[in-house]
Amino acid sequence: RDDGYLTQRCVDCSDRKDGKDGKFVKFVAKYTPSVEILLQLIEQNSGKGLILPEKVVSSSGSVLVMVFDNFVIKLFQNRKTFNKVGNVLNCAYESGCDFIVKMKDWVSIQNEKIRIHAIVTEKLTPIVTYTGDRKLNLKNNEIFKLFHDIGIALDTIHKLGYTQGDCTLDNIGRIGKKFVLFDFNCAGRIEVRNDDIAFLVKSAKFNLKKMDEKEKDFLEYVSSFKNSIT
């Protein structure tokens, strides 16, 4: 029965330990929207009829992420967060920046029977994965290109008056040979907060534990300018 919300359990593809007895249990999504609207959205973006997602994961407990073969649907419980992310991605798309994940579609409906706020983006491959242990999928010779691509993305976001808000390697992915910035749930106005460069450098230093001297010098160079870049 479709009462405006999906009552079945949506689980991700990985098991997580339960805090009580340490056993592995399936994670249950906290929020899922109307079945009918969701299926329409999937059909419209799949281009080949209804398909099942490769995996379903959660983000911060209030965002459900459904990953398909060539697109991603993010379902927002909070309309304010949805509006913020949508505005940032729309402005970024109009700017023509190739280093920010592109929004392909969106839908927002809320009434007595239906509540759904969803954004469809192109699919990317995160450079940080969590298949049991945390793993950074980044070669040493790709570090400079990552900073170059994400630097352009941040310049674009900042010129639009926003900050990414959580600029770590966890929120950087690959599309082809380019690195792209994604996940703007923590985005904010630049006049209130602008610490994206500091976040990026700190995250890089944390993740890149086996660096040669050139990589280390480069990170120190970027770090020395983090307070002057706006």
Side-chain angles (χ1 to χ4, degrees):
R1 184 173 67 88
D2 183 5
D3 56 0
Y5 299 91
L6 187 61
T7 55
Q8 302 101 301
R9 289 185 173 184
C10 285
V11 297
D12 65 10
C13 59
S14 62
D15 295 329
R16 302 185 183 183
K17 283 187 177 181
D18 183 80
K20 296 179 180 179
D21 52 16
K23 293 182 179 180
F24 283 95
V25 295
K26 285 292 185 181
F27 174 77
V28 180
K30 296 182 180 180
Y31 168 69
T32 47
S34 163
V35 176
E36 181 180 359
I37 299 298
L38 177 58
L39 295 184
Q40 290 177 7
L41 191 64
I42 295 172
E43 259 188 323
Q44 291 169 3
N45 285 277
S46 66
K48 57 181 180 181
L50 181 62
I51 56 175
L52 295 176
E54 296 174 0
K55 61 181 179 179
V56 180
V57 298
S58 71
S59 174
S60 304
S62 60
V63 180
L64 191 69
V65 182
M66 304 181 70
V67 182
F68 294 82
D69 58 349
N70 61 355
F71 65 94
V72 174
I73 297 180
K74 294 191 71 172
L75 305 157
F76 297 82
Q77 184 175 14
N78 186 285
R79 177 185 281 179
K80 184 177 180 180
T81 303
F82 162 81
N83 288 335
K84 176 180 65 177
V85 174
N87 287 337
V88 173
L89 291 179
N90 185 57
C91 291
Y93 179 84
E94 293 181 351
S95 74
C97 181
D98 290 327
F99 305 109
I100 300 171
V101 66
K102 288 182 170 55
M103 181 169 62
K104 301 174 64 175
D105 198 2
W106 62 271
V107 62
S108 180
I109 302 173
Q110 183 165 327
N111 53 44
E112 294 180 354
K113 294 183 178 181
I114 297 173
R115 175 164 63 96
I116 176 172
H117 312 295
I119 289 175
V120 182
T121 68
E122 57 187 337
K123 185 179 180 180
L124 53 79
T125 302
I127 63 172
V128 176
T129 56
Y130 295 87
T131 53
D133 295 327
R134 177 188 173 90
K135 183 179 180 182
L136 176 63
N137 301 302
L138 184 68
K139 297 179 181 178
N140 288 342
N141 60 6
E142 294 179 310
I143 297 172
F144 290 91
K145 179 168 174 53
L146 182 149
F147 273 92
H148 172 270
D149 294 356
I150 301 305
I152 294 175
L154 290 177
D155 279 345
T156 301
I157 292 295
H158 294 171
K159 288 177 182 178
L160 294 171
Y162 295 98
T163 60
Q164 198 273 348
D166 188 22
C167 190
T168 66
L169 299 193
D170 297 74
N171 293 325
I172 296 173
R174 284 190 182 89
I175 297 180
K177 295 183 179 180
K178 64 184 179 182
F179 291 98
V180 296
L181 193 62
F182 70 97
D183 196 343
F184 292 87
N185 298 351
C186 297
R189 301 299 303 184
I190 196 167
E191 60 267 20
V192 177
R193 173 185 177 186
N194 183 15
D195 52 6
D196 285 337
I197 297 297
F199 261 77
L200 179 59
V201 172
K202 183 178 180 180
S203 177
K205 287 185 174 181
F206 173 78
N207 285 279
L208 304 172
K209 296 181 179 180
K210 295 183 179 180
M211 302 183 298
D212 62 30
E213 288 304 314
K214 290 183 179 179
E215 294 163 359
K216 184 176 180 181
D217 290 344
F218 179 70
L219 291 177
E220 289 177 350
Y221 169 80
V222 175
S223 180
S224 67
F225 283 90
K226 68 179 183 294
N227 293 323
S228 61
I229 299 176
T230 58

